[in-house]
């Protein structure tokens, strides 16, 4: 219901709102602001709504199932929900997720929160970081906040030097340290910047802190599945026979080479005005683009035809020629000395 009261020469809107659940029912007096909000959301009797007590924001969730037969014609956007249960006023917990960097920026710049949008983060002082770390620790003890660790992934980790590894060692000891994931394809290699040999090119003290995951070569079924998924991602239609041939090529050469052949074979098939990649397209690409093994074999067969060829065979040949000339020079010198001795 609603009515009006004259105030200050004008008319102020007032009204009453009945809120009910399956167990409770309460009548509230409304002011002008709440009436306008209800009118804006087009709230009618039978709607299920939520009202934020702090801000006064009204959210319309839908209509109650008990009012589903009030009207014969309803729009497609009409949503029916169950009538709320329990008490009318409920405490709702709102969780905000922010990064520690965002908290640092907000507290280190004069414009505060706006610095996140302007990008003017500037230098964050160590004192600010310490104060924020102390405050976050208090929130954790009080149960008001929880730390969700991030993930730091470093590929080709053997390219880092000792200073970087020392920093990682120290960072991993922090309570707020992220989950560190590193990857490398090195065996026993030198740590960059030093002469020390270490597994994977990573210092032993850092390896001792890690859980090492071993890998194994792909089986033929695995290669077939990967190539099939890759064809779907690239929107390439390929016959079963062509996929089997591509799988065999991937097993004999490398999986990357087989993956690169998919697009090339698709272009060859498109040039033939064929919708699917067939065996002849795979063979055509296989003859046009060589893999690493065939390229190495080609270089070994025709190494003398390339410029700046420096192989041991050529070096030994030059060494033999120089050795022969040196021996001839030594024999000539000996003959000259013998003649001088006979003359004397």
């Amino acid at each position: 219901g609603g009515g009006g009261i004259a105030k200050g020469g004008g008319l102020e809107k007032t009204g009453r709102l009945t809120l009910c659940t399956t167990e409770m029912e309460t009548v509230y007096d409304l002011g002008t602001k709440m009436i306008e909000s209800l009118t804006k959301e087009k709230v009618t009797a039978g709607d299920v709504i939520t009202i934020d007590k702090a801000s006064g924001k009204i959210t319309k969730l839908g209509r109650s199932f008990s009012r589903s037969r009030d009207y014969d014609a309803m729009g497609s956007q009409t949503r029916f929900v169950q009538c709320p249960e329990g008490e009318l006023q409920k405490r709702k917990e709102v969780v905000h997720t922010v990064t520690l960097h965002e908290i640092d920026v907000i507290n280190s710049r004069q414009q505060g929160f706006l610095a996140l949008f302007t990008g003017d983060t500037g230098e964050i002082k160590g004192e600010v970081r310490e104060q924020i770390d102390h405050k976050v620790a208090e929130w954790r003890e009080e149960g008001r906040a929880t730390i969700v660790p991030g993930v730091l992934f470093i590929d080709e980790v053997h390219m880092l030097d000792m200073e970087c590894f020392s920093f990682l060692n120290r960072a991993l000891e922090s309570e707020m340290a992220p989950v560190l994931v590193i990857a490398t394809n090195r065996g026993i290699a030198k740590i960059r910047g030093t002469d020390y040999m270490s597994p994977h090119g990573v210092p032993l003290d850092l390896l001792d802190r890690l859980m090492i995951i071993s890998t194994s070569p792909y089986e033929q079924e695995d290669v077939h599945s990967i190539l099939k998924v890759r064809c779907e991602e690239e929107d390439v239609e390929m016959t079963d026979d062509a996929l089997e041939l591509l799988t065999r090529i991937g097993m004999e050469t490398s999986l990357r080479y087989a993956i690169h052949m998919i697009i090339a074979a698709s272009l060859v098939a498109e040039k033939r005005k064929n919708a699917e990649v067939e065996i002849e397209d795979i063979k055509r690409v296989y003859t046009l683009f060589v893999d690493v093994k065939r390229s190495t074999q080609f270089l070994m067969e025709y190494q003398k035809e390339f410029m700046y060829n420096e192989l041991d065979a050529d070096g030994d040949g030059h060494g033999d020629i120089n050795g022969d000339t040196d021996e001839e020079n030594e024999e000539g010198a000996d003959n000259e000395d013998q003649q001088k001795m006979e003359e004397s």
Side-chain angles (χ1 to χ4, degrees), residues 38-224:
L38 290 170
T39 306
K40 184 179 179 181
E41 293 293 331
K42 299 180 180 179
V43 177
T44 59
D47 290 340
V48 178
I49 62 173
T50 59
I51 303 176
D52 189 353
K53 191 175 181 179
S55 61
K57 182 181 178 181
I58 299 175
T59 305
K60 187 175 179 180
L61 302 179
R63 285 191 64 81
S64 175
F65 278 111
S66 60
R67 297 296 187 100
S68 60
R69 299 182 180 179
D70 288 358
Y71 307 99
D72 294 335
M74 291 175 291
S76 60
Q77 299 179 351
T78 304
R79 180 183 178 186
F80 290 98
V81 295
Q82 293 288 347
C83 183
E85 300 178 355
E87 298 183 359
L88 282 172
Q89 298 187 22
K90 296 182 180 179
R91 183 179 296 274
K92 186 177 180 181
E93 182 177 350
V94 180
V95 179
H96 298 280
T97 304
V98 293
T99 63
L100 295 178
H101 175 69
E102 292 173 347
I103 300 177
D104 291 342
V105 172
I106 293 172
N107 289 273
S108 63
R109 307 300 292 172
Q110 293 182 354
Q111 56 267 42
F113 187 74
L114 296 177
L116 294 175
F117 300 96
T118 60
D120 183 20
T121 58
E123 182 180 359
I124 300 174
K125 298 181 180 179
E127 295 81 3
V128 176
R129 292 182 184 273
E130 292 179 0
Q131 293 176 2
I132 292 174
D133 291 344
H134 181 69
K135 193 65 178 177
V136 171
E138 290 183 358
W139 290 345
R140 291 181 62 187
E141 293 178 358
E142 296 173 359
R144 297 172 57 188
T146 57
I147 298 295
V148 181
V151 178
L152 174 61
F153 179 77
I154 303 177
D155 196 8
E156 305 293 342
V157 71
H158 55 269
M159 298 298 295
L160 300 181
D161 54 11
M162 287 298 294
E163 286 76 10
C164 295
F165 287 125
S166 299
F167 173 79
L168 288 177
N169 267 328
R170 181 182 177 186
L172 290 176
E173 295 176 355
S174 173
E175 294 182 357
M176 303 180 187
V179 178
L180 177 64
V181 181
I182 60 178
T184 179
N185 57 1
R186 293 293 188 271
I188 305 297
K190 285 185 179 180
I191 302 173
R192 188 174 185 184
T194 68
D195 294 329
Y196 297 106
M197 303 291 291
S198 179
H200 315 297
V202 180
L204 292 176
D205 56 344
L206 180 59
L207 282 176
D208 193 38
R209 299 171 182 263
L210 304 176
M211 299 291 290
I212 301 176
I213 303 173
S214 61
T215 58
S216 58
Y218 288 118
E219 299 293 337
Q220 186 170 353
E221 295 80 7
D222 301 329
V223 175
H224 185 276

Side-chain angles (χ1 to χ4, degrees), residues 331-343:
E331 290 178 357
D334 294 340
N335 293 333
E336 291 178 359
D337 294 340
Q338 188 174 2
Q339 289 178 1
K340 289 180 181 180
M341 291 177 65
E342 290 177 354
E343 291 176 357

